[in-house]
Amino acid sequence: MTDAHDRLRGWAAAKKAILAGLRFTSLRLRLVVVFALVALTAAVSASGIAYWLNREAVLTRAQDAALSDFQQEMQNRAAALPEHPTQGELQHAANLMASSSQHFSVLLISEDSEKTDGRRIAGNSDLDAITLAEVPRSLRDAVNREQPLTDGNKHPYHLYWQRIVSNGTPYLVGGARVIDGGPTGYMLKSLEPEAKDLNSLAWSLGIATALALIGSALLAQAAATTVLKPVHRLGRAARRLGEGKLDTRLRVSGTDELADLSRTFNRTAENLEKKVADMSAREEASRRFVADMSHELRTPLTAITAVTEVLEEELDAETGSVDPMIEPAVRLVVSETRRLNDLVENLMEVTRFDAGTARLVLDQVDIADQITACIDARAWLDAVDLDAERGIMARIDPRRLDVIMANLIGNALKHGGSPVRVSVRLADSELVIEVRDHGPGIPQDVLPHVFDRFYKASASRPRSEGSGLGLSIALENAHIHGGEITAANSPEGGAVFTFRLPLDASPLTLPPDEEGAEGADGGGSGEGGGAR
């Protein structure tokens, strides 16, 4: 029972799969099928109507001719018989009647009560003799039923007929009775010639329907090709447009709806190309402006930085050469100069990412040593808890890894507070570095924007100590390595930034003659990020 149930379920699943595979997914196929179905319906309907009309016409013509001839023979032959005919006389009259042009069999019946004690006397024609048993009972009753005479009925007996089928052959049976006591006559005519003619007509109509169906399918194919060719061109053009080839245009010919669609597509592509070109030009101008401004600021900033370093040394000296009244102002100048210098460096790094010129200088490094060096260089050893085993090697750009870790750890210290925990592990052919703080975490509405440039969580804090670009630069450096950085809140409290780097990733690398220039140019601040 279970096997039968499983087989039934398997058959149902197979049937469902086959039906799913037969779905009409091609517009061309659907057009051809619909066109063929309409043509088939029209052809079958026309053929059916033509066959029915021809059948009625053929049968009615043969029937009318046979009945008219039979009626005429009954009037000429049967009515001329004596009042009490013998069987020979009936048979002779039947043979004469059957020799007419319609070739039907005749049966004449007379009831002679004087000579035969009320028995019937029958006379058959020699050709295909007909017996009374072959005549339907209903037809015999109708023939022998005397009708009352009225204004509309001048004769008591009438001619009746019926179509029958015997041994697969159609026949016409007719009957009439001679008025004033004459014999009753029946005729049997084969309709086989007419049936053969009708069969030939049916075959001809079937062949014509099949040819019409084939012709309609070919015509539908041609029509579908004509209609769908512009649609296919439009589809290819749309794909090219989606691939960024904004100069794609369609050749327009005609004035139909498809031509209007092609014109609309061309206008849309032209407007899109203009808008994209305009946006690209503005973006390029903005990027060039930022780059030029950053480069122009580096020269005066170098001089200002040198002066502020001298002032800072004077502040730290024990001679007390700086007036205590201006000491806060001097310290503010030193702090803001450093911040401005970091901002310019970050802007230059961002312009390199936007222009697509940022590349990697790769080296096989120990991740634990690199992170330790990053923390030590910024005097964060007391505030950061590093959980990393030595010997985890990765091919990476050391300078950009330093930028990533400096921004993530600096952001954690600034917004979350110490201690900051940094863990390094390998998981599924991935290098995973997590930076977790113990602060209040990141609000849910801020999480999607922490890597946005210059994003600030609150308008009431328009100014922060960082440049607002640190996390964005860290993310770009992760992307250029083929990695990713995500931000989330830990269930135990605090924010968690996770840097994932597939060890089999294919980062962008510089040609050998460009590596030195990229490495020397540097870029990217090590302390700052998005605000929370």
Side-chain angles (χ1 to χ4, degrees), residues 287-302:
R287 185 166 53 243
R288 185 176 297 276
F289 171 76
V290 173
D292 292 344
M293 181 187 68
S294 301
H295 279 288
E296 292 297 327
L297 287 175
R298 293 188 75 177
T299 300
L301 270 178
T302 301

Side-chain angles (χ1 to χ4, degrees), residues 29-86:
L29 179 60
R30 281 181 284 175
L31 284 175
V32 171
V33 170
V34 171
F35 205 104
L37 287 177
V38 172
L40 179 62
T41 303
V44 169
S45 301
S47 299
I49 294 173
Y51 177 79
W52 181 78
L53 292 176
N54 279 275
R55 178 180 180 274
E56 289 301 315
V58 169
L59 294 179
T60 300
R61 183 169 60 250
Q63 171 183 297
D64 290 346
L67 292 176
S68 176
D69 198 357
F70 174 69
Q71 187 176 23
Q72 187 68 32
E73 291 295 330
M74 285 291 293
Q75 293 175 357
N76 294 337
R77 305 292 185 182
L81 289 172
E83 183 177 356
H84 303 289
T86 64

Side-chain angles (χ1 to χ4, degrees), residues 481-493:
H481 280 89
E484 185 62 63
I485 300 178
T486 57
N489 289 315
S490 173
E492 293 81 10

Side-chain angles (χ1 to χ4, degrees), residues 57-126:
V58 169
L59 294 179
T60 300
R61 183 169 60 250
Q63 171 183 297
D64 290 346
L67 292 176
S68 176
D69 198 357
F70 174 69
Q71 187 176 23
Q72 187 68 32
E73 291 295 330
M74 285 291 293
Q75 293 175 357
N76 294 337
R77 305 292 185 182
L81 289 172
E83 183 177 356
H84 303 289
T86 64
Q87 185 179 8
E89 291 173 334
L90 290 175
Q91 188 165 353
H92 178 68
N95 286 328
L96 292 176
M97 293 174 63
S99 63
S100 69
S101 60
Q102 293 299 318
H103 303 291
F104 47 71
S105 302
V106 177
L107 171 64
L108 294 178
I109 299 176
S110 176
E111 294 186 1
D112 190 344
S113 59
E114 294 182 358
K115 295 183 179 181
T116 61
D117 299 327
R119 291 180 299 170
R120 292 175 179 171
I121 302 175
N124 266 318
S125 61
D126 295 335

